[in-house]
Amino acid sequence: MAAGHAALVRVVRDEGRRVLATLIRTVGDWQVAEDAVADAVERALATWPRTGVPEQPRAWLIVTAKRCAVDLLRREHRRAEKEASAMELLPPPGDRDVDTIDDDLLRLVFTCCHPAIEPAAQVALALRTLCGLGTEEVARALLVGEATMSKRITRAKQKIARAAIPYRVPDAHELPDRLLGVAATVYFLFNEGYSATSGDAPLRGELAEEAVRLARLVHDLLPDEPTAMGLLALLLLQHSRRDARVDAGGRPVLLADQDRTRWDRAQIVEAVALVGRGLRRCPDRPDPYLTQAAIAACHALAPNAGATDWDAIVSWYDVLLTVRDGPVERLNRAVAIGERDGPGAGLEAVDAVEGLDHYAPWLASRAVLLARLGRADDADDAFDRAISAEANAARREDLRRRRRRARDVGDVAPT
């Protein structure tokens, strides 16, 4: 029963962001749309266990949410001029309003990333809306306090309403000004699918697929932009490993232990070609996404873990730090240092990274390096802290397993 309910919740959650994208377009009011979708989700969770999941769950949620929106507009007497047109939100019988949903998601990304919204709030609002993450989860993903994040999201919604920011894909001449925000949004959307911040499963494959699709659309809109090339390449390279990243029991599989015959070679070939074209377009100042894609390509092209070119990976991280010098980037470089130069050098590099004292991957990296150095008690303590900081149940259990075998085997490679 619990497993069935969890599966039902996943269906509603995954469909909910698409439904919200459509409601924001049709209602024209972000808060009304969010409230209506919340009501529709509540009804689904109360109804579907008795009646079964509809053949078209998204269509069911859209119709129900639109009806809820009509009720909200009437009940609250908001925007009286919309009262007469509210009934138009209800689709005619048989109209599932599904065909426009994909475009609605892209419109929503561009709306969140309008230049009038402060950059720090753009990605936060998109993660809150597109990923369905709670404010606490968004704050954790962006390494910001929850109260600060809540204010950012609220201000962004208010800005969209006050400035009447249009809900559309901008014209061609406007696209470059939106690209960095859109790329960051799609990147973080993918990250939530690639490594879920909370919940029971280590990844959300459907969300990662959505991010790859959006990255393709962005590349189609701006085919000659290095950022668009790098974003798509990076996502393809990371997503190419999806089938090998969890075992039959749904547990995370370390990169070094993955069955590389299960990697998607077609995606890797496409991505490597994009990296080559993109790097030729920005020889003086490499794009951050292209640089990360080059790092991912080093892993993808190695026939086995032992053949990984860690010299090249560290060098690419050195390049990345010249264009994006953040604590997470420094942590990833430190992990690579540990692979190339040994656990002592790796631990020194990890400990030099500031600002990640409560970040689970930083704590886990320290734990594994300490175990490799034979510092068992320190490693146990570091594993305890990493487990406490990790919000995802599958990764918490994985850390427990790694702690149990840490005295005999070390494994610092990323998943």
Side-chain angles (χ1 to χ4, degrees), residues 230 234 237 271-272 274-301 308-326 328-330 332-334 336-337 340:
L234 174 59
L237 285 163
V272 170
L274 282 168
V275 172
R277 291 203 302 273
L279 290 175
R280 287 192 292 272
R281 287 185 173 273
C282 53
D284 298 326
R285 183 177 174 80
D287 175 83
Y289 295 102
L290 276 171
T291 307
Q292 291 176 85
I295 294 168
C298 291
H299 290 292
L301 296 176
T308 304
D309 189 345
W310 290 105
D311 273 332
I313 289 174
V314 171
S315 294
W316 277 115
Y317 273 120
D318 290 338
V319 173
L320 179 61
L321 292 179
T322 67
V323 292
R324 179 178 291 171
D325 188 353
V328 173
E329 288 78 14
R330 287 189 171 274
N332 291 335
R333 180 184 181 276
I337 289 288
R340 188 189 69 177

Side-chain angles (χ1 to χ4, degrees), residues 9 11 75 126 137 148 189-190 194-195 230 244 248 259 306 319 328 392 394:
V9 170
V11 170
R75 184 168 63 245
E137 293 170 313
T148 299
L189 178 67
F190 178 83
Y194 184 82
S195 182
D259 179 358
V319 173
V328 173
N392 182 273

Side-chain angles (χ1 to χ4, degrees), residues 69-134:
V70 172
D71 292 342
L72 284 168
L73 289 168
R74 284 173 170 165
R75 184 168 63 245
E76 299 177 12
H77 302 289
R78 297 171 68 178
R79 294 163 176 78
E81 69 274 10
K82 290 186 179 179
E83 186 73 22
S85 61
M87 290 304 296
E88 297 177 5
L89 298 177
L90 293 176
D95 181 3
R96 297 200 300 267
D97 197 15
V98 173
D99 293 340
T100 62
I101 291 174
D102 289 345
D103 286 340
D104 284 338
L105 283 169
L106 188 61
R107 291 188 190 103
L108 184 56
V109 172
F110 277 104
T111 301
C112 293
C113 298
H114 192 279
I117 302 173
E118 60 180 290
Q122 291 177 1
V123 174
L125 179 59
L127 286 178
R128 180 73 177 84
T129 305
L130 291 171
C131 296
L133 299 182

Side-chain angles (χ1 to χ4, degrees), residues 363-364 367 376-390 396 399-400 403:
L363 293 165
D377 291 340
D378 291 336
D380 284 344
D381 179 64
F383 271 117
D384 284 341
R385 293 180 61 199
I387 291 166
S388 297
E390 179 56 67
R396 279 200 305 273
L399 286 170
R400 293 188 182 100
R403 178 179 58 185

